[in-house]
Amino acid sequence: MKRLRRIRDLMSGRMDSALTEALLGQLQATKEGAWLAMAMIGGEVGRTGAHEQMRSIEHLGDEERGRLVEELKNALVTPIDREDLFRLSRSIDDVLDSLRDFVRESHLYRVPDQIRFSPMLDQVIAGIEALEGAVRDLSSRPSVVILNALEAKKVGGVIRKMYQYEISRIYSGEITADTMKERELVRRLEIVGVAIGEAADAIADGAMKR
């Protein structure tokens, strides 16, 4: 009976849809995490409040990742290779985890001038949105998937470059406890950029194999 249900889902396209929806759910939670971090550094949300809200967002992301894993267990076929789907989901999870760490460390370190992180977070949001575009076209338009994946990969490179400039600025002045804390926060956002790049690689690899 289960096998017949899977075949029916395959014929109707529901299986691909369920996998895509789970990935988009993960990305939505991740984007909410990025916007929360942006609101925190802009002073719209307090650090303590942001820290608490991020727990709920992370939980949502974990639920969507769990849903994807369950769908993969039962899927007869997938829009791209299973391994690439799993890599993609894991990398999205890494993005959200690193955003969580950024918010938590900001809460702990109390660095005074946080607004300077906004350009890096702008790029993080752009990268997540590029990944969303790639996932939406996963089943139907592989060429568009690759273009969006390349855009996300490019964003990862931009974040890396911004990190390098920030580190140069930090070390060009007096090294204090606050500057070392700032370095840690900048490094956390650089790790977010690396994870975005890894997610882009996973989805591009999968699309190229089709």
Side-chain angles (χ1 to χ4, degrees), residues 17 25 43-44 86 98 107 126-127 136-137 141 145 147 180 202 209:
S17 176
E44 299 164 42
F86 191 82
S98 294
H107 169 66
R136 285 194 189 96
D137 290 312
R141 297 196 293 172
V145 170
L147 287 175
M180 295 306 289
K209 292 175 189 174

Side-chain angles (χ1 to χ4, degrees), residues 41-206:
I41 66 169
E44 299 164 42
V45 178
R47 296 180 216 232
T48 301
H51 183 219
E52 291 170 355
Q53 287 181 49
M54 186 59 90
R55 291 177 187 167
S56 299
I57 292 171
E58 185 187 13
H59 181 66
L60 287 174
D62 288 343
E63 283 185 343
E64 294 295 341
R65 177 158 165 71
R67 183 156 71 102
L68 177 91
V69 171
E70 284 302 311
E71 291 292 343
L72 278 175
K73 284 180 185 176
N74 297 320
L76 292 175
V77 295
T78 56
I80 59 174
D81 187 83
R82 290 169 189 269
E83 182 182 344
D84 294 322
L85 277 172
F86 191 82
R87 281 173 57 209
L88 172 59
S89 177
R90 183 181 59 207
S91 295
I92 295 168
D93 189 52
D94 289 343
V95 174
L96 182 54
D97 284 351
S98 294
L99 285 167
R100 173 207 62 202
D101 290 342
F102 174 80
V103 169
R104 180 167 58 200
E105 288 166 11
S106 173
H107 169 66
L108 292 171
Y109 298 161
R110 304 284 167 172
V111 173
D113 183 21
Q114 292 196 117
I115 197 66
R116 69 174 310 104
F117 300 131
S118 60
M120 292 183 80
L121 281 168
D122 278 336
Q123 289 298 314
V124 168
I125 292 166
I128 295 167
E129 288 176 345
L131 290 172
E132 282 181 321
V135 169
R136 285 194 189 96
D137 290 312
L138 205 51
S139 301
S140 56
R141 297 196 293 172
S143 61
V144 177
V145 170
I146 292 169
L147 287 175
N148 280 313
L150 288 173
E151 181 61 29
K153 184 71 174 179
K154 179 181 173 183
V155 166
V158 170
I159 293 171
R160 174 68 177 170
K161 190 176 291 185
M162 294 172 83
Y163 162 75
Q164 291 167 341
Y165 280 119
E166 283 296 307
I167 290 297
S168 175
R169 177 191 61 79
I170 288 168
Y171 283 132
S172 65
E174 182 184 359
I175 303 301
T176 65
D178 278 347
T179 57
M180 295 306 289
K181 291 173 183 177
E182 191 176 350
R183 184 199 67 171
E184 290 301 308
L185 291 174
V186 171
R187 170 62 178 153
R188 190 61 61 192
L189 292 178
E190 193 261 342
I191 293 170
V192 172
V194 170
I196 288 172
E198 289 172 349
D201 287 341
I203 199 166
D205 289 350

